[in-house]
Short mmCIF file of all heavy atoms in Angstrom, two decimals:
data_model
loop_
_atom_site.label_atom_id
_atom_site.label_comp_id
_atom_site.label_asym_id
_atom_site.label_seq_id
_atom_site.Cartn_x
_atom_site.Cartn_y
_atom_site.Cartn_z
N LEU A 1 16.82 -6.24 -4.45
CA LEU A 1 18.11 -5.53 -4.30
C LEU A 1 18.98 -6.35 -3.38
O LEU A 1 20.24 -6.50 -3.54
CB LEU A 1 18.07 -4.24 -3.87
CG LEU A 1 19.22 -3.34 -3.65
CD1 LEU A 1 19.92 -3.23 -4.95
CD2 LEU A 1 19.05 -2.00 -3.05
N ALA A 2 18.38 -6.80 -2.24
CA ALA A 2 19.07 -7.58 -1.18
C ALA A 2 19.68 -8.84 -1.80
O ALA A 2 20.69 -9.43 -1.35
CB ALA A 2 18.19 -7.93 -0.01
N LEU A 3 19.01 -9.39 -2.93
CA LEU A 3 19.44 -10.65 -3.43
C LEU A 3 20.40 -10.54 -4.58
O LEU A 3 21.48 -11.21 -4.68
CB LEU A 3 18.32 -11.40 -4.05
CG LEU A 3 17.29 -12.21 -3.13
CD1 LEU A 3 16.15 -12.76 -3.89
CD2 LEU A 3 18.08 -13.27 -2.31
N ILE A 4 20.30 -9.48 -5.44
CA ILE A 4 21.12 -9.40 -6.64
C ILE A 4 21.99 -8.09 -6.59
O ILE A 4 22.91 -8.00 -7.43
CB ILE A 4 20.25 -9.31 -7.86
CG1 ILE A 4 19.35 -8.00 -7.93
CG2 ILE A 4 19.41 -10.60 -7.97
CD1 ILE A 4 18.76 -7.81 -9.15
N GLY A 5 21.88 -7.14 -5.65
CA GLY A 5 22.66 -6.04 -5.57
C GLY A 5 24.12 -6.31 -5.00
O GLY A 5 24.38 -7.31 -4.44
N PRO A 6 24.95 -5.28 -5.18
CA PRO A 6 26.27 -5.33 -4.68
C PRO A 6 26.29 -5.37 -3.07
O PRO A 6 25.45 -4.68 -2.53
CB PRO A 6 26.93 -3.98 -5.15
CG PRO A 6 25.92 -3.08 -5.45
CD PRO A 6 24.65 -3.98 -5.90
N ARG A 7 27.21 -6.05 -2.54
CA ARG A 7 27.19 -6.31 -1.11
C ARG A 7 27.89 -5.05 -0.35
O ARG A 7 27.75 -4.98 0.87
CB ARG A 7 28.02 -7.57 -0.79
CG ARG A 7 27.28 -8.79 -1.12
CD ARG A 7 25.95 -9.08 -0.25
NE ARG A 7 25.18 -10.15 -0.77
CZ ARG A 7 24.16 -9.96 -1.54
NH1 ARG A 7 23.76 -8.90 -1.93
NH2 ARG A 7 23.50 -11.09 -1.91
N ASN A 8 28.68 -4.30 -1.03
CA ASN A 8 29.46 -3.26 -0.36
C ASN A 8 28.97 -1.89 -0.86
O ASN A 8 29.84 -0.91 -0.89
CB ASN A 8 30.96 -3.43 -0.65
CG ASN A 8 31.26 -3.49 -2.18
OD1 ASN A 8 30.42 -3.64 -2.97
ND2 ASN A 8 32.59 -3.38 -2.55
N ALA A 9 27.71 -1.60 -1.01
CA ALA A 9 27.18 -0.32 -1.35
C ALA A 9 25.91 -0.07 -0.55
O ALA A 9 24.82 -0.07 -0.88
CB ALA A 9 26.77 -0.32 -2.86
N PRO A 10 26.17 0.15 0.89
CA PRO A 10 24.96 0.28 1.71
C PRO A 10 24.09 1.44 1.41
O PRO A 10 22.89 1.50 1.72
CB PRO A 10 25.61 0.48 3.11
CG PRO A 10 27.09 0.92 2.82
CD PRO A 10 27.37 0.21 1.52
N ARG A 11 24.69 2.55 0.87
CA ARG A 11 23.84 3.72 0.47
C ARG A 11 22.92 3.46 -0.67
O ARG A 11 22.01 4.12 -0.90
CB ARG A 11 24.79 4.92 0.13
CG ARG A 11 25.30 5.62 1.34
CD ARG A 11 25.99 6.86 0.94
NE ARG A 11 26.38 7.67 2.10
CZ ARG A 11 27.64 7.55 2.59
NH1 ARG A 11 28.45 6.76 2.10
NH2 ARG A 11 27.92 8.23 3.74
N LEU A 12 23.13 2.41 -1.43
CA LEU A 12 22.26 2.00 -2.62
C LEU A 12 20.89 1.78 -2.16
O LEU A 12 19.88 2.20 -2.86
CB LEU A 12 22.89 0.80 -3.35
CG LEU A 12 22.64 0.71 -4.83
CD1 LEU A 12 23.06 2.04 -5.57
CD2 LEU A 12 23.34 -0.53 -5.43
N ARG A 13 20.74 1.05 -0.98
CA ARG A 13 19.42 0.74 -0.45
C ARG A 13 18.70 2.05 -0.11
O ARG A 13 17.50 2.13 -0.35
CB ARG A 13 19.53 -0.17 0.82
CG ARG A 13 18.11 -0.61 1.21
CD ARG A 13 18.24 -1.40 2.59
NE ARG A 13 16.91 -1.56 3.11
CZ ARG A 13 16.27 -0.64 3.74
NH1 ARG A 13 16.61 0.61 3.93
NH2 ARG A 13 14.96 -0.96 4.20
N LEU A 14 19.41 2.98 0.49
CA LEU A 14 18.75 4.24 1.01
C LEU A 14 18.42 5.02 -0.22
O LEU A 14 17.40 5.72 -0.33
CB LEU A 14 19.82 5.04 1.74
CG LEU A 14 20.03 4.48 3.25
CD1 LEU A 14 21.10 5.29 3.95
CD2 LEU A 14 18.72 4.34 4.06
N PHE A 15 19.21 5.01 -1.29
CA PHE A 15 18.90 5.76 -2.55
C PHE A 15 17.56 5.06 -3.16
O PHE A 15 16.71 5.81 -3.62
CB PHE A 15 20.12 5.61 -3.50
CG PHE A 15 19.78 6.06 -4.87
CD1 PHE A 15 19.68 7.40 -5.18
CD2 PHE A 15 19.63 5.16 -6.01
CE1 PHE A 15 19.40 7.95 -6.42
CE2 PHE A 15 19.37 5.67 -7.23
CZ PHE A 15 19.25 7.00 -7.52
N LEU A 16 17.51 3.73 -3.18
CA LEU A 16 16.35 3.16 -3.81
C LEU A 16 15.14 3.40 -3.00
O LEU A 16 14.05 3.71 -3.56
CB LEU A 16 16.54 1.64 -3.93
CG LEU A 16 15.35 0.79 -4.38
CD1 LEU A 16 14.86 1.35 -5.68
CD2 LEU A 16 15.63 -0.67 -4.53
N LEU A 17 15.21 3.40 -1.70
CA LEU A 17 14.03 3.73 -0.74
C LEU A 17 13.66 5.13 -1.02
O LEU A 17 12.36 5.45 -1.13
CB LEU A 17 14.52 3.46 0.69
CG LEU A 17 13.40 3.71 1.69
CD1 LEU A 17 12.20 2.88 1.43
CD2 LEU A 17 13.91 3.49 3.05
N ALA A 18 14.58 6.02 -1.00
CA ALA A 18 14.17 7.53 -1.24
C ALA A 18 13.59 7.63 -2.55
O ALA A 18 12.52 8.39 -2.71
CB ALA A 18 15.38 8.39 -0.99
N LEU A 19 14.18 7.11 -3.62
CA LEU A 19 13.54 7.27 -5.02
C LEU A 19 12.25 6.68 -5.04
O LEU A 19 11.23 7.25 -5.63
CB LEU A 19 14.49 6.47 -5.99
CG LEU A 19 14.28 6.41 -7.43
CD1 LEU A 19 15.51 6.28 -8.22
CD2 LEU A 19 13.27 5.38 -7.96
N ALA A 20 12.06 5.45 -4.36
CA ALA A 20 10.71 4.78 -4.51
C ALA A 20 9.58 5.61 -3.77
O ALA A 20 8.47 5.61 -4.23
CB ALA A 20 10.83 3.41 -3.89
N VAL A 21 10.01 6.21 -2.61
CA VAL A 21 9.16 7.04 -1.87
C VAL A 21 8.60 8.18 -2.65
O VAL A 21 7.47 8.52 -2.85
CB VAL A 21 9.82 7.48 -0.57
CG1 VAL A 21 9.12 8.68 0.01
CG2 VAL A 21 9.80 6.34 0.52
N ILE A 22 9.54 8.91 -3.34
CA ILE A 22 9.20 10.07 -4.21
C ILE A 22 8.36 9.52 -5.45
O ILE A 22 7.38 10.25 -5.94
CB ILE A 22 10.50 10.81 -4.70
CG1 ILE A 22 11.19 11.30 -3.48
CG2 ILE A 22 10.12 11.91 -5.59
CD1 ILE A 22 12.65 11.64 -3.68
N ASP A 23 8.84 8.33 -5.94
CA ASP A 23 8.06 7.80 -6.99
C ASP A 23 6.64 7.46 -6.64
O ASP A 23 5.70 7.75 -7.46
CB ASP A 23 8.90 6.54 -7.40
CG ASP A 23 8.31 5.86 -8.69
OD1 ASP A 23 7.23 5.16 -8.53
OD2 ASP A 23 8.98 5.99 -9.63
N ASP A 24 6.37 7.01 -5.47
CA ASP A 24 5.02 6.73 -5.02
C ASP A 24 4.23 8.01 -4.84
O ASP A 24 3.01 7.97 -5.08
CB ASP A 24 5.12 5.94 -3.73
CG ASP A 24 5.50 4.49 -3.91
OD1 ASP A 24 5.42 4.07 -5.03
OD2 ASP A 24 6.04 3.88 -2.88
N ILE A 25 4.90 9.05 -4.38
CA ILE A 25 4.04 10.24 -4.17
C ILE A 25 3.64 10.73 -5.56
O ILE A 25 2.44 11.12 -5.75
CB ILE A 25 5.05 11.40 -3.63
CG1 ILE A 25 5.33 11.03 -2.10
CG2 ILE A 25 4.31 12.79 -3.69
CD1 ILE A 25 6.40 12.02 -1.48
N GLY A 26 4.48 10.66 -6.56
CA GLY A 26 4.16 10.96 -7.89
C GLY A 26 2.94 10.23 -8.52
O GLY A 26 2.00 10.68 -9.07
N ALA A 27 3.13 8.80 -8.19
CA ALA A 27 2.07 7.94 -8.78
C ALA A 27 0.70 8.24 -8.12
O ALA A 27 -0.31 8.22 -8.76
CB ALA A 27 2.60 6.53 -8.49
N LEU A 28 0.71 8.41 -6.79
CA LEU A 28 -0.50 8.70 -6.02
C LEU A 28 -1.13 10.01 -6.54
O LEU A 28 -2.31 10.14 -6.65
CB LEU A 28 -0.35 8.66 -4.69
CG LEU A 28 -0.03 7.24 -4.09
CD1 LEU A 28 0.50 7.35 -2.59
CD2 LEU A 28 -1.22 6.39 -4.13
N THR A 29 -0.29 11.00 -6.83
CA THR A 29 -0.69 12.34 -7.39
C THR A 29 -1.50 12.02 -8.72
O THR A 29 -2.51 12.49 -9.08
CB THR A 29 0.33 13.27 -7.50
OG1 THR A 29 0.88 13.43 -6.20
CG2 THR A 29 -0.18 14.58 -7.90
N VAL A 30 -0.84 11.26 -9.56
CA VAL A 30 -1.42 10.94 -10.86
C VAL A 30 -2.68 10.12 -10.80
O VAL A 30 -3.63 10.47 -11.43
CB VAL A 30 -0.43 10.04 -11.73
CG1 VAL A 30 -1.02 9.37 -12.95
CG2 VAL A 30 0.86 10.91 -12.16
N ILE A 31 -2.80 9.26 -9.79
CA ILE A 31 -4.10 8.57 -9.55
C ILE A 31 -5.12 9.47 -9.15
O ILE A 31 -6.36 9.54 -9.78
CB ILE A 31 -3.86 7.44 -8.49
CG1 ILE A 31 -3.09 6.28 -9.11
CG2 ILE A 31 -5.21 6.94 -8.05
CD1 ILE A 31 -2.62 5.25 -7.99
N GLY A 32 -4.87 10.38 -8.22
CA GLY A 32 -5.85 11.34 -7.77
C GLY A 32 -6.29 12.29 -8.88
O GLY A 32 -7.45 12.75 -8.90
N VAL A 33 -5.37 12.81 -9.65
CA VAL A 33 -5.58 13.91 -10.64
C VAL A 33 -6.23 13.29 -11.95
O VAL A 33 -7.25 13.90 -12.51
CB VAL A 33 -4.37 14.72 -10.91
CG1 VAL A 33 -4.68 15.69 -12.09
CG2 VAL A 33 -3.96 15.40 -9.65
#
């Protein structure tokens, strides 16, 4: 994202980080179950 993403959208990184964090919770739950 730092390489190909828009330069004037700082909230985009926070959105991706939050999304990825929730995504990882779901993935780890799937692994465990």
Side-chain angles (χ1 to χ4, degrees):
L1 177 65
L3 284 177
I4 66 173
R7 293 288 175 262
N8 54 347
R11 281 193 173 91
L12 208 57
R13 181 190 177 279
L14 291 175
F15 171 73
L16 175 57
L17 180 60
L19 182 153
V21 158
I22 300 161
D23 185 282
D24 285 337
I25 293 174
L28 289 169
T29 303
V30 165
I31 289 173
V33 174

